[in-house]
Amino acid sequence: MTYTLTTPLYYVNDKPHLGSAYTTLACDALARFQRLKGERVLFITGCDEHGQKIQRTAEAAGLSPQAHCDGVSAQYRELWDRWQISNNRLIRTTDPRHRQIVEQFFARVEASGDIVEGRQQGWYCVACEEFKDDPHEAQDPECPTHRRPLEWRDEVNLFFRLSRYQEQIEALIAQPGFIQPASRRNEVENFVKQGLRDFSISRVNLPWGIPVPGHEGHTFYVWFDALLGYITALLEEGDAPDLDQALSRGWPASVHVIGKDILRFHAVYWPAMLLSAGLPLPAKVFGHGFLTREGQKMGKSLGNVLDPAQLLERCGRDAVRWYLLRDIPFGDDGDFQQQRFSDLVNNDLANTIGNMLNRTSSMARRWFENAVPPASVAMGSDHQLAQAAAQARTVVLDGLEQLEFRSAAEAALQLAIAANGFLNEQAPWSRMKQEGTRDQVADDLYAVLEAARITALLMAPLLPDLSERMLLQLGQSVPDSSATAQPDGTWLRQLEWGALQSGAPLPEPSPVMARLELSEPL
Ligand code: MSP
């Protein structure tokens, strides 16, 4: 079985923003966790490049749509490289193979009798690329999300017979676990309860899209085309553009991770399209919340958009990942606050984790010949830090499985806090001055180093860089969470108490986490 997970395919109308980085970072943590557990992972991200929004943006920039898409998708690729995102695919919907996958999929849906011609009248938001249901009566209505005027459309389109799937979709969304977090299920349920209406899947007079075979003048509606990008992305490099081939590479998806605004497309339209084509459904759709900044919506007009490339440059990967994953419950809305950002990074990572590791390994080196101290036989699983480690392990594994990154991060941190507390209580620096205490000091330092090692391993999916620096400082090998599945169980076994070898050399310590000093606003 392959664990296939996806980010949304990001529109290339603008350069990447913090919202896109947020989803991608969270998916990266999830992908790394699954690989460490021994799963074969296919982590898919990509760019959504067709449709009116992109066409207009390119026109405004005086570029051909293709040239525009090439430019922005290159920025995405570069950003994910700099963030060291471990995606296995970056699909672009302008990939020539994608067109063939869309055509083959459409042929199956058409053969099911689910494509009919109809007249589409309604108010359209180009920024959402979506018809809005409500404002039929209003004069000059605007999009509630984008606060921009809606455009009246009246055209003959091809429709997908979504209404035929009412019962199946109701049953699907009633399944616990399909839509997560559970709190998001209600809004989809209410939408479905109102009765599913057929939706148009083609546009006329829109050249920047994939032509609909057999229906001259029509191109596919951007969402019909984009959702299928998840399937095209499964293809390996030399594969022919064949739908069945693609599906055999890792379908169905284990989870689609998306923002709450596009839940309806993923939890209703997409499953119905797949049912129509006779294909298996994704196991889970996770809708996370929106980020604001210092209490305000981020937007160009407010000039308060956080650029993920700049953030990376000024603050580094660990700091940003830590803040986003540790402070905001994944699923809820979250507010980016600069002061809190630097406080958390400095307290949790530089002080609690960094200092604990640094001072313990300095003492161990000084008093035990630059090596891990010899632990006594009493160092078993009943040690208070062994118990804290076992508990942290359970919570971290469970949290990461459920995409509860915050509880996972907090549990890993709790272990470091417990180790620090233990160190302060035992005060080996004073004990060492007394006679006959060497064995006790050895045990105590061993226990703290062992807790640090387990903290580092638990952090590996969340903060791969910091985890690596911690493990190297402890003279340990570093599990590779980025490319291949770890042989089943290695990482899990390494999380067991007692794997740190007494007598193993301890390298000279250097700070594993620099403090974040942000004198200027970001
Ligand atoms: N192209 C579609 C997705 C197609 S998937 C087959 C799309 N693209 S998008 O670029 O507009 O949005 C991508 C994601 O960014 C969405 O999941 C959206 O929820 C998320 N975010 C946009 N602004 C955001 C925040 N301020 N905070 C968090 N996520 C945000 O929709």
Side-chain angles (χ1 to χ4, degrees), residues 44-334:
I44 292 170
T45 187
C47 293
D48 183 354
E49 305 192 355
H50 287 130
Q52 189 143 32
K53 171 155 65 172
I54 311 291
Q55 185 176 314
R56 285 190 186 169
T57 315
E59 273 163 13
L63 292 170
S64 73
Q66 189 64 57
H68 168 79
C69 293
D70 290 348
V72 180
S73 66
Q75 289 185 38
Y76 270 97
R77 187 179 294 278
E78 196 197 325
L79 182 70
W80 302 150
D81 282 351
R82 288 171 60 197
W83 275 103
Q84 293 190 1
I85 299 299
S86 65
N87 56 299
N88 303 96
R89 301 281 191 279
L90 192 155
I91 175 70
R92 298 180 55 192
T93 56
T94 50
D95 180 333
R97 295 197 297 185
H98 179 59
R99 175 173 174 162
Q100 300 190 48
I101 296 293
V102 173
E103 287 174 358
Q104 291 165 35
F105 183 89
F106 176 70
R108 294 196 193 180
V109 174
E110 203 170 30
S112 301
D114 282 334
I115 300 296
V116 287
E117 226 174 57
R119 187 166 170 197
Q120 173 76 64
Q121 281 185 313
W123 292 102
Y124 193 74
C125 172
V126 176
C128 295
E129 292 281 16
E130 186 179 16
F131 277 100
K132 297 290 168 182
D133 298 331
D134 315 324
H136 287 296
E137 310 304 330
Q139 285 211 319
D140 305 325
E142 54 174 37
C143 168
T145 312
H146 293 96
R147 299 267 158 238
R148 280 203 245 151
L150 297 173
E151 298 178 19
W152 178 252
R153 295 288 159 81
D154 182 356
E155 51 184 54
V156 172
N157 289 157
L158 299 173
F159 278 70
F160 171 70
R161 293 173 72 186
L162 179 65
S163 53
R164 285 175 97 189
Y165 295 93
Q166 179 79 31
E167 281 174 22
Q168 288 171 77
I169 296 296
E170 274 177 16
L172 175 70
I173 61 180
Q175 280 176 23
F178 177 65
I179 298 178
Q180 286 199 337
S183 54
R184 296 230 175 275
R185 201 158 77 204
N186 282 352
E187 63 193 67
V188 182
E189 256 165 10
N190 289 339
F191 169 71
V192 175
K193 254 193 239 142
Q194 290 164 22
L196 292 176
R197 285 188 283 166
D198 298 347
F199 73 98
S200 68
I201 56 129
S202 75
R203 297 286 179 267
V204 287
N205 307 321
L206 177 63
W208 188 239
I210 298 178
V212 182
H215 299 269
E216 207 170 314
H218 291 257
T219 50
F220 283 106
Y221 170 43
V222 59
W223 269 100
F224 189 88
D225 143 15
L227 287 161
L228 282 160
Y230 295 141
I231 290 183
T232 307
L234 300 166
L235 287 170
E236 291 182 3
E237 196 139 304
D239 283 350
D242 176 70
L243 181 55
D244 290 317
Q245 170 77 293
L247 293 163
S248 74
R249 297 289 187 200
W251 194 256
S254 300
V255 59
H256 293 307
V257 182
I258 53 165
K260 61 182 182 178
D261 56 327
I262 55 174
L263 190 53
R264 194 188 287 185
F265 288 99
H266 286 79
V268 179
Y269 296 4
W270 178 227
M273 286 163 58
L274 290 164
L275 286 168
S276 171
L279 302 183
L281 304 182
K284 188 189 297 195
V285 176
F286 194 106
H288 67 69
F290 261 48
L291 295 179
T292 49
R293 180 172 184 190
E294 312 289 347
Q296 281 189 309
K297 194 177 162 183
M298 276 184 270
K300 273 193 191 161
S301 48
L302 283 170
N304 65 346
V305 178
L306 272 170
D307 176 351
Q310 277 179 23
L311 202 57
L312 174 66
E313 204 158 290
R314 287 189 56 189
C315 309
R317 276 189 290 274
D318 293 313
V320 183
R321 273 176 90 110
W322 181 248
Y323 179 59
L324 293 177
L325 297 175
R326 177 248 197 272
D327 201 37
I328 302 162
F330 200 56
D332 294 0
D333 291 337

Side-chain angles (χ1 to χ4, degrees), residues 333-396:
D333 291 337
D335 192 35
F336 190 101
Q337 295 170 2
Q338 183 162 328
Q339 188 61 49
R340 185 161 168 79
F341 170 40
S342 52
D343 287 351
L344 285 183
V345 168
N346 291 339
N347 291 339
D348 300 345
L349 304 184
N351 296 350
T352 301
I353 291 183
N355 289 349
M356 179 250 303
L357 181 55
N358 210 287
R359 60 190 182 140
T360 314
S361 83
S362 303
M363 287 185 277
R365 279 171 55 87
R366 191 172 329 129
W367 299 323
F368 296 93
E369 291 84 41
N370 298 328
V372 176
S376 79
V377 280
M379 295 298 306
S381 56
D382 53 350
H383 192 280
Q384 71 182 79
L385 288 185
Q387 286 176 4
Q391 199 192 341
R393 176 181 187 267
T394 307
V395 180
V396 171

